[in-house]
Amino acid sequence: MRIAALADIHGNADALRAVLADLTGQGANRVVVLGDHFSGPLAAGETWALLAARPDLESLRGNHDRTLLETPRAAMGRSDSAAYDELDADALDWLASLPQTLRFADVFCCHGTPASDETYLCERITPDGGVAQRDAPTIARLLAGIEAKLILCAHSHLPRALRLPDGRQVVNPGSVGCPAYTDAEPVPHAVEAGFPEASYALLDQTPGGWDVTFRRVPYDSRRMAARATAQGRDEWASAVKTGWITA
């Protein structure tokens, strides 16, 4: 089996278009999208058109997808409201149809952790706002009850592949469309992949486990950066252009 894992598109239609083109000929048996499809000041409507044209993709719901469904428009943050204004009823109905987790064969997929779409599985935020890798016992505790040999997660936007002492593999494919962002919880922090390319992962099942190949797909980010700047979101423009928050 070969799985392609995508995540955290965040309305970056040009990055998604590049990844879908890169997938052609890769021989993936399944393509899964691990949530957060639209939220951001980029091109949510175009992103929906690309996804709607690909019924072969298997998607689950991320925390920002949930916000688009559950939070009144007036109470949404700037990224969620920008996306909401571009999405039609069909897009919202599609989001509402998505599961919180996916399971097939010996694979388990979630956005954050099995229990929370807002908790990083592989990372922790230090009191001074640093981003550090979690220790294996804590990851195992967050995965209690999940016996799948391969766990696919997202949410942190950071490509990561870990093998726990019990043999389970945990893979975050990184972000298709938003390689850097800031957040205020649990303390103010910035997550920066440090590269601007669209990121996804190919996973090949072998007798010894899963081989992981991270793909960094270059694309012209100028149009997405311009759309972010036009909405007064210079930090988003910086993220898609450089992979860092420099604005």
Side-chain angles (χ1 to χ4, degrees):
M1 179 184 291
R2 167 171 271 199
I3 301 169
L6 287 60
D8 294 295
I9 303 165
H10 282 280
N12 190 331
D14 290 348
L16 176 60
R17 191 175 289 109
V19 165
L20 293 177
D22 190 74
L23 272 172
T24 302
Q26 296 287 359
N29 305 105
R30 305 183 83 128
V31 182
V32 296
V33 187
L34 305 171
D36 281 3
H37 302 77
F38 302 121
S39 292
L42 303 178
E46 290 181 36
T47 300
W48 164 236
L50 290 169
L51 293 171
R54 291 292 302 265
D56 57 310
L57 305 185
E58 301 176 71
S59 291
L60 59 82
R61 192 186 309 173
N63 62 304
H64 282 281
D65 300 324
R66 178 171 53 80
T67 295
L68 292 173
L69 295 170
E70 298 179 357
T71 303
R73 165 66 176 78
M76 290 181 184
R78 296 173 69 191
S79 293
D80 296 317
S81 60
Y84 186 87
D85 290 345
E86 289 195 26
L87 297 175
D88 59 20
D90 287 342
L92 296 175
D93 288 344
W94 178 77
L95 281 182
S97 74
L98 300 182
Q100 295 182 357
T101 62
L102 287 170
R103 186 191 295 268
F104 55 88
D106 205 16
V107 182
F108 180 86
C109 308
C110 58
H111 182 70
T113 70
S116 170
D117 59 17
E118 294 184 316
T119 300
Y120 300 136
L121 179 56
C122 298
E123 295 83 17
R124 62 182 178 86
I125 306 304
T126 63
D128 62 353
V131 181
Q133 181 176 299
R134 283 198 193 278
D135 60 90
T138 299
I139 296 174
R141 177 177 57 79
L142 292 170
L143 292 174
I146 305 300
E147 298 181 357
K149 296 298 185 182
L150 175 64
I151 295 98
L152 300 177
C153 66
H155 191 48
S156 73
H157 300 204
L158 297 175
R160 197 181 293 274
L162 305 174
R163 190 187 302 271
L164 298 178
D166 62 15
R168 287 179 294 175
Q169 291 176 254
V170 182
V171 176
N172 186 325
S175 174
V176 169
C178 178
Y181 64 92
T182 59
D183 198 350
E185 299 294 337
V187 296
H189 63 277
V191 179
E192 298 167 303
F195 60 87
E197 293 85 8
S199 179
Y200 77 100
L202 294 171
L203 303 108
D204 291 292
Q205 191 174 28
T206 73
W210 290 85
D211 287 342
V212 184
T213 302
F214 290 107
R215 300 282 294 174
R216 293 185 182 181
V217 183
Y219 72 99
D220 187 344
S221 63
R222 289 176 294 180
R223 188 173 75 98
M224 293 295 101
R227 289 177 72 99
T229 298
Q231 295 200 48
R233 304 298 301 277
D234 288 342
E235 78 280 15
W236 273 80
S238 172
V240 300
K241 286 190 296 185
T242 70
W244 302 89
I245 301 294
T246 58

